[in-house]
Amino acid sequence: MLIQMQDYEARSWLVHFILFQMSWNVVLCQLHYVIPEESRHGTFVGRIAQDLGLDIGEINSRMLRVVSTDEKEYFQINLQNGILFVNNIIDREEICQDTSLCVIHLQMIVDKPVQIYLVEVEIEDINDNSPAFSSTGYNLVISELKHAGSHFPLEGAVDADVGTNTVTNYELSASDYFTLDFQKYMNQIRTLELVLKKPLDREKQSTHTLTLTCYDGGKPRLSGTTQIVVTVEDANDNSPVFDQPFYQCSVAENTVIGTLVMKLNATDLDQGKNGKITYAFSKLLPSQVKDIFKLDPNTGEIKLIGSLDYESTKRYDISVDATDHGENPMVGHCKVLVTVVDVNDNPPELIVTSLSVPVPEDSPQGTIVAMIRAQDKDSGSNGKVSCHISNHTPFKIIPAFMRDFSLTVDGPLDREKKSTYDIFLTATDEGFPPMSVSMTLKIDISDVNDNSPQFIQSYDTIFIKENNPPGFHVYTVSASDPDVGQNSFLTYSITDKNIDGIPISSYISIQPENGKVFALVSFDHEQITYFQCHIRATDAGLPPLSSNLTLNIFIEDINDNAPFFPPIILATTVKAPKTAQSGNLITKVRAVDLDSGYNALMSYSFKESSGKVPFIISQQTGDIILKRSFTDSDNDEYRLVVVAQDHGEPVMTALTQIIISLVESEEDMTLDPQESNRNSDEFSEANVYLVIAICIISSIFLITLIAFTVLRWQKYRDEVNDLKENYKICSNTGGSWMYSQESQYKFYLNSGQPKNDLMVFTPNSSQAPGNGNAVSEAVFLNSSKPKHPNPDWRYSASLKAAMQGAVHMEGAAVLRGAAVGLEPQWPTVSSATTDPEGGEVSPPVGAGVNCNSWTFKYGPGNQKQPVPVPQIPPDFPENFIIPGSPAIISIRQDQPSAQAQKSNFITFGKKEETKKKKKKKKGKNQEKANNNTNDNNDQ
């Protein structure tokens, strides 16, 4: 049953209930929206019409409306766009006080026909309420007898918000005695307790004021505070305390009986009877003390009731107790020290308690040598003792403790200067009159290894004659050490060192005990002339000390090597011109002596020289000089014996023979290689090495050059072989390009880069009348007009690829042998042209795959390709004929001059030097030409 309502104001809840029951079957769906609380009027909730599937145009006619279970209308629908919006501000805490989930149920009703929709709007809580305590302050009374860890419940705070916006945490102000303990369950705080960290003390602090703060978990975070005042309840937990735990006083032994010695004072922090105090001597106090002193229990005064004797008792230790009147009495304690003052009737006493002798001489300043006690039986200033040293020593005495003194080192000690010290000590008290006592201490200084061995000098030089016998004593070293005992026991050694890779211990040795140096080998001055060794003297101290002596050893030379002449000088023949003048140098000789100094100083002379010999020899240099001009009576040859003598002891000599031959003139002189070597001062060993090095370097350079040339030639041959493979023979009707193995030429482009492109023309030859052999003649006609080539010329496609691009033939000729002569033709090959009259290149029709041919076609008036007039080289023969063979043309572009750059030469055949070989093969080539002519005619 469908009821139509005309008046909206007349609806009632009963009618709604009836309609809802009747239209239950038309409820289509249920919607759920979520909005935060405190949303303002007009806040968007949802597109209710769109979500319910209603058209915007029918919501107004069908009277879409909102029905809420609450009297207050929180939501409204905009009938223009079907949007559900907030009508009144919603306070979640007002409508949902006891539940955490706050939902408002709405009914969306439309008429014609009636449809009811259930809609839920969930109100989200926001943190709009601060947590708060029920009271601004709480008072707690806690006894100071409570133990640490006691818990005291507290009332928690309340927050109207829910979820995370409610109370989540508590904080307590900083306190040494209290802390918080709260338990959480499902993020909710269930219990809140105050925990005592340590026992309270009313006497220190009777009241504690704490601030308790609660926080919620919302954003922004809100808080609330309250004050907790803790009052500490008193208990008898404090014992009486004296002003000081230790009292001290001095009483002269002649003090009158009844004199007040000390007044004690004790206090108790407790209150009432817990703070009332009574004084008494300790029960453990000896009875003889109680016979001398008396204590008042109420005032704490101690008075003298007996006689004092300093010699029998110097001081009294009195223990006093102070007891309060609490239920559980507590006691305080103190000690009273009564010192009996005596007169100065006892002198000081010096007692050596510790003595460390002997004292090492390397003891640093402040080293303690002895401990001395200076004591006095008197008290006060009479018992204070000072100690000092009466004489001047490198020691001093300083106070160590109350009555002890330490004797310490105050300066450097040197046993080598002074080995014993007598120290006079004096002790004096401060009584009146002062009393003193003296004593003597003997301090011995012990030796330490503080002095290294010393040589008389740090450097020394010795000379050893060569050829000495092995084991020869050459030197004795000696060092001294001012130390004593094992610190002065010295041993000698030689420091490790190498001489030309040989250890020095192989040359000399030394005895460790006495320092004697021996030569282990027989020295040779010619092998070693000087060496240096370091001798070390080391003592036996701990740690050992050492010093070095540098010994320079020179090997003296003796005349043990005779002079000798080099083999090149022995029995040498020298030629001298007869035209030589007096004073001219004929030759020179030189002897070698392996010795040095005077033992190697040479003097030269002739052996058994007669006065007729026209030569003299320089005694120092060995130069043989012509002393007079030659005469006809002189011999043609002179044999001179030259004696070389050193200056050693004994004298040693060497002999050589010089043959001097006389020649007519200097032109006839041919110096012997040995004589040339002598005149040029001979080759030294360094010069020989230099010549060998130059030869090796030259050989390496020559080998490198040959290898480079071979590699370049191999590369060139590979390129030629590749070209041979590329150029293949292919014939056609108009002509053909053929590869020739007989001649190879280079085709040079204008860029200067060589290309091994070979072009061979097969001319169309006809037999001349009256001659059976086909003869091709190449004649240059300057006056003949060139003709265009046959349009059927064909070129190889592979040839074009081998030429790498456009190939321009600026000059070429195709010669045809005929009766009327040769007909020059000038084909020009272009890579591409757009001019139809400029000629084009196309492959032949019907050419095979392997047919390397091209067809050149020329227009009637190609102005872009002028026909050059061939120029005949001046050295080219007028009649040059290659019988029976195709004309081989090599086109090159040389640039030797400006004129040569403008003209292109066309050369037929090979070079001129190959002409003779071609004439010899004329018969064979003629036959081959006839065969080629017949083949061309057949084609």
Side-chain angles (χ1 to χ4, degrees):
M1 179 179 181
L2 187 60
I3 302 174
Q4 295 182 355
M5 305 293 296
Q6 299 294 332
D7 188 7
Y8 179 75
E9 298 294 336
R11 294 189 182 97
S12 62
W13 287 105
L14 181 60
V15 176
H16 292 161
F17 179 77
I18 296 174
L19 290 175
F20 177 76
Q21 293 294 333
M22 296 175 63
S23 305
W24 179 260
N25 55 345
V26 298
V27 176
L28 300 179
C29 65
Q30 182 177 359
L31 299 179
H32 185 85
Y33 297 103
V34 179
I35 63 171
E37 67 170 328
E38 304 294 339
S39 298
R40 296 181 180 181
H41 173 76
T43 300
F44 173 81
V45 176
R47 301 182 181 276
I48 189 66
Q50 182 178 355
D51 295 338
L52 294 177
L54 301 176
D55 293 335
I56 300 299
E58 66 178 358
I59 61 177
N60 193 14
S61 60
R62 296 186 61 184
M63 300 292 292
L64 177 63
R65 59 192 180 273
V66 178
V67 178
S68 176
T69 58
D70 299 330
E71 297 179 357
K72 193 172 183 180
E73 297 181 356
Y74 292 107
F75 302 98
Q76 191 60 265
I77 297 177
N78 189 338
L79 299 179
Q80 301 298 325
N81 50 23
I83 292 177
L84 180 66
F85 62 90
V86 176
N87 187 30
N88 294 312
I89 296 176
I90 302 173
D91 187 0
R92 194 202 65 82
E93 289 75 23
E94 180 181 353
I95 62 176
C96 301
Q97 296 181 357
D98 300 330
T99 60
S100 59
L101 179 63
C102 184
V103 177
I104 299 178
H105 299 277
L106 302 178
Q107 293 181 359
M108 300 298 165
I109 301 177
V110 293
D111 298 332
K112 301 179 183 179
V114 175
Q115 290 180 336
I116 300 175
Y117 302 92
L118 298 181
V119 178
E120 293 180 352
V121 179
E122 181 180 350
I123 308 301
E124 285 188 340
D125 181 48
I126 63 174
N127 195 22
D128 57 344
N129 295 280
S130 299
F133 291 93
S134 60
S135 176
T136 58
Y138 298 92
N139 294 321
L140 293 178
V141 178
I142 301 176
S143 174
E144 59 180 342
L145 297 178
K146 287 291 185 180
H147 300 287
S150 299
H151 288 66
F152 306 96
L154 296 178
E155 182 180 353
V158 178
D159 194 334
D161 296 323
V162 296
T164 58
N165 295 329
T166 188
V167 178
T168 58
N169 191 20
Y170 288 92
E171 289 184 3
L172 187 67
S173 59
S175 175
D176 296 335
Y177 293 92
F178 296 98
T179 184
L180 278 181
D181 182 21
F182 51 89
Q183 302 295 327
K184 287 186 177 182
Y185 177 76
M186 298 295 292
N187 295 327
Q188 298 293 325
I189 296 177
R190 298 300 184 185
T191 61
L192 178 63
E193 292 178 333
L194 187 66
V195 181
L196 183 64
K197 295 196 294 185
K198 62 181 181 178
L200 299 174
D201 190 352
R202 190 201 62 81
E203 288 72 28
K204 292 183 179 179
Q205 188 175 356
S206 61
T207 303
H208 298 269
T209 302
L210 307 174
T211 301
L212 179 62
T213 305
C214 60
Y215 297 95
D216 60 17
K219 294 183 180 179
R221 188 180 183 186
L222 302 179
S223 64
T225 60
T226 186
Q227 296 291 330
I228 300 175
V229 178
V230 178
T231 301
V232 181
E233 185 180 6
D234 183 44
N236 190 20
D237 57 345
N238 291 282
S239 61
V241 178
F242 288 91
D243 294 342
Q244 53 189 21
F246 182 79
Y247 294 90
Q248 185 177 4
C249 64
S250 298
V251 180
E253 59 179 342
N254 56 356
T255 303
V256 180
I257 297 175
T259 304
L260 179 62
V261 177
M262 180 68 63
K263 180 176 174 57
L264 304 179
N265 183 30
T267 57
D268 194 331
L269 298 178
D270 295 329
Q271 297 176 345
K273 63 179 183 178
N274 295 331
K276 189 176 180 179
I277 299 173
T278 299
Y279 301 95
F281 284 129
S282 174
K283 296 179 181 180
L284 300 177
L285 188 66
S287 59
Q288 59 267 24
V289 177
K290 296 179 181 180
D291 294 338
I292 298 174
F293 301 98
K294 180 182 179 182
L295 176 61
D296 190 326
N298 298 319
T299 61
E301 293 179 352
I302 299 176
K303 293 181 181 181
L304 185 63
I305 60 174
S307 299
L308 298 176
D309 187 1
Y310 177 78
E311 283 70 26
S312 60
T313 304
K314 297 179 179 62
R315 61 178 178 269
Y316 295 92
D317 293 333
I318 304 173
S319 299
V320 179
D321 296 335
T323 306
D324 61 19
H325 294 180
E327 294 181 358
N328 297 315
M330 301 188 73
V331 181
H333 308 278
C334 77
K335 280 185 176 295
V336 179
L337 177 61
V338 180
T339 303
V340 180
V341 179
D342 190 18
V343 296
N344 190 19
D345 57 350
N346 294 293
E349 295 179 4
L350 287 177
I351 302 174
V352 178
T353 59
S354 176
L355 180 61
S356 179
V357 290
V359 179
E361 60 178 331
D362 62 344
S363 298
Q365 186 175 356
T367 301
I368 298 176
V369 178
M371 294 297 296
I372 302 170
R373 174 170 295 176
Q375 62 185 7
D376 197 327
K377 294 180 180 179
D378 296 327
S379 61
S381 59
N382 296 328
K384 292 182 180 179
V385 181
S386 62
C387 189
H388 63 277
I389 299 175
S390 301
N391 57 340
H392 179 71
T393 60
F395 298 93
K396 70 176 180 178
I397 190 167
I398 58 175
F401 301 103
M402 182 182 299
R403 295 181 180 181
D404 293 332
F405 296 87
S406 60
L407 181 65
T408 61
V409 178
D410 192 38
L413 302 177
D414 192 351
R415 189 209 59 82
E416 288 73 29
K417 294 181 179 179
K418 191 173 182 179
S419 60
T420 303
Y421 291 92
D422 292 329
I423 301 174
F424 299 97
L425 298 176
T426 301
T428 304
D429 61 18
E430 298 181 3
F432 184 82
M435 301 183 72
S436 62
V437 68
S438 299
M439 68 179 300
T440 301
L441 288 177
K442 185 177 181 180
I443 305 298
D444 294 328
I445 307 300
S446 63
D447 182 56
V448 296
N449 192 24
D450 58 343
N451 293 281
S452 60
Q454 297 296 326
F455 291 96
I456 299 175
Q457 55 185 2
S458 59
Y459 290 88
D460 201 358
T461 303
I462 62 173
F463 297 90
I464 304 175
K465 290 186 178 181
E466 65 175 335
N467 299 331
N468 59 287
F472 179 69
H473 174 252
V474 296
Y475 187 72
T476 300
V477 297
S478 178
S480 61
D481 195 327
D483 295 327
V484 294
Q486 68 175 7
N487 295 330
S488 62
F489 181 76
L490 303 181
T491 57
Y492 302 92
S493 62
I494 297 177
T495 305
D496 292 338
K497 183 181 178 182
N498 291 335
I499 301 176
D500 296 334
I502 301 175
I504 197 172
S505 59
S506 300
Y507 290 95
I508 61 174
S509 67
I510 189 171
Q511 287 188 355
E513 296 81 9
N514 53 24
K516 290 184 178 181
V517 180
F518 298 92
L520 299 179
V521 297
S522 179
F523 291 103
D524 189 356
H525 176 79
E526 286 71 36
Q527 294 182 358
I528 180 171
T529 61
Y530 163 80
F531 64 93
Q532 189 180 76
C533 72
H534 299 280
I535 298 176
R536 177 178 297 172
T538 307
D539 58 25
L542 292 175
L545 300 178
S546 62
S547 60
N548 293 330
L549 168 66
T550 301
L551 189 61
N552 299 308
I553 302 175
F554 291 89
I555 308 302
E556 290 184 344
D557 182 53
I558 63 175
N559 195 23
D560 58 343
N561 293 283
F564 64 91
F565 289 95
I568 196 172
I569 298 179
L570 299 176
T572 302
T573 300
V574 179
K575 295 182 179 181
K578 293 182 178 181
T579 58
Q581 301 297 323
S582 175
N584 287 358
L585 176 66
I586 301 303
T587 185
K588 63 170 62 178
V589 293
R590 178 176 297 175
V592 180
D593 196 329
L594 299 180
D595 295 324
S596 61
Y598 279 95
N599 297 329
L601 183 60
M602 295 289 105
S603 60
Y604 304 91
S605 62
F606 289 137
K607 182 179 181 181
E608 298 177 357
S609 176
S610 62
K612 295 182 181 181
V613 177
F615 305 101
I616 60 175
I617 187 170
S618 175
Q619 187 177 2
Q620 289 77 23
T621 63
D623 294 343
I624 298 176
I625 302 173
L626 185 64
K627 66 179 180 180
R628 62 174 176 78
S629 300
F630 293 110
T631 61
D632 295 338
S633 61
D634 291 331
N635 299 330
D636 292 336
E637 183 179 275
Y638 290 91
R639 293 180 178 271
L640 305 177
V641 178
V642 179
V643 179
Q645 176 180 308
D646 59 20
H647 291 72
E649 292 182 3
V651 177
M652 306 185 76
T653 60
L655 299 178
T656 186
Q657 185 180 27
I658 303 297
I659 302 174
I660 300 177
S661 299
L662 301 183
V663 296
E664 294 297 331
S665 65
E666 294 183 359
E667 297 179 356
D668 296 334
M669 293 178 59
T670 57
L671 293 178
D672 190 82
Q674 297 179 352
E675 182 178 0
S676 300
N677 292 336
R678 292 198 305 272
N679 294 336
S680 61
D681 293 334
E682 304 174 356
F683 277 119
S684 63
E685 184 178 358
N687 293 336
V688 173
Y689 290 156
L690 181 60
V691 171
I692 293 175
I694 294 174
C695 293
I696 293 174
I697 294 174
S698 301
S699 302
I700 293 174
F701 174 75
L702 184 61
I703 292 172
T704 303
L705 185 61
I706 293 174
F708 177 76
T709 305
V710 171
L711 293 175
R712 293 294 296 174
W713 174 252
Q714 184 65 31
K715 183 178 180 181
Y716 172 76
R717 292 296 302 270
D718 294 341
E719 292 178 355
V720 171
N721 293 334
D722 292 341
L723 290 175
K724 288 180 181 180
E725 296 296 332
N726 292 334
Y727 296 137
K728 296 180 181 179
I729 300 174
C730 182
S731 61
N732 50 56
T733 57
S736 64
W737 297 83
M738 294 187 301
Y739 174 75
S740 175
Q741 297 182 354
E742 296 180 359
S743 57
Q744 301 174 355
Y745 297 90
K746 295 182 179 181
F747 177 74
Y748 297 91
L749 297 176
N750 294 334
S751 62
Q753 181 179 1
K755 293 181 180 294
N756 296 328
D757 297 338
L758 306 181
M759 292 171 288
V760 182
F761 294 91
T762 302
N764 295 329
S765 303
S766 62
Q767 296 182 357
N771 190 359
N773 297 326
V775 179
S776 300
E777 298 180 355
V779 180
F780 291 89
L781 302 177
N782 295 332
S783 61
S784 49
K785 183 177 181 181
K787 296 182 181 180
H788 291 289
N790 193 304
D792 294 334
W793 281 88
R794 297 189 177 121
Y795 292 89
S796 172
S798 62
L799 177 61
K800 180 180 179 182
M803 295 175 68
Q804 297 180 358
V807 180
H808 298 279
M809 298 177 54
E810 296 184 358
V814 178
L815 306 181
R816 297 186 180 185
V820 296
L822 299 176
E823 182 181 5
Q825 295 184 359
W826 311 95
T828 302
V829 182
S830 300
S831 61
T833 177
T834 58
D835 191 354
E837 297 181 357
E840 62 179 347
V841 181
S842 61
V845 178
V849 175
N850 295 326
C851 184
N852 299 326
S853 62
W854 288 75
T855 299
F856 289 77
K857 295 182 180 181
Y858 294 85
N862 186 5
Q863 301 298 330
K864 294 184 179 180
Q865 301 180 10
V867 179
V869 179
Q871 302 293 334
I872 301 175
D875 57 347
F876 195 81
E878 294 182 358
N879 297 324
F880 180 74
I881 302 174
I882 304 176
S885 63
I888 301 174
I889 302 174
S890 174
I891 304 175
R892 66 180 180 180
Q893 182 176 357
D894 299 327
Q895 297 180 355
S897 61
Q899 183 178 2
Q901 293 177 0
K902 296 179 181 180
S903 61
N904 299 320
F905 294 98
I906 305 174
T907 306
F908 295 84
K910 299 182 179 178
K911 297 182 179 179
E912 294 182 358
E913 52 264 22
T914 60
K915 293 180 181 180
K916 295 181 181 182
K917 295 181 180 180
K918 291 183 178 181
K919 291 181 180 181
K920 293 180 180 181
K921 298 179 181 180
K922 182 176 181 181
K924 184 177 180 179
N925 293 338
Q926 187 69 30
E927 183 180 358
K928 183 178 180 179
N930 294 332
N931 295 332
N932 292 336
T933 303
N934 295 331
D935 295 336
N936 293 334
N937 292 333
D938 295 336
Q939 291 176 0

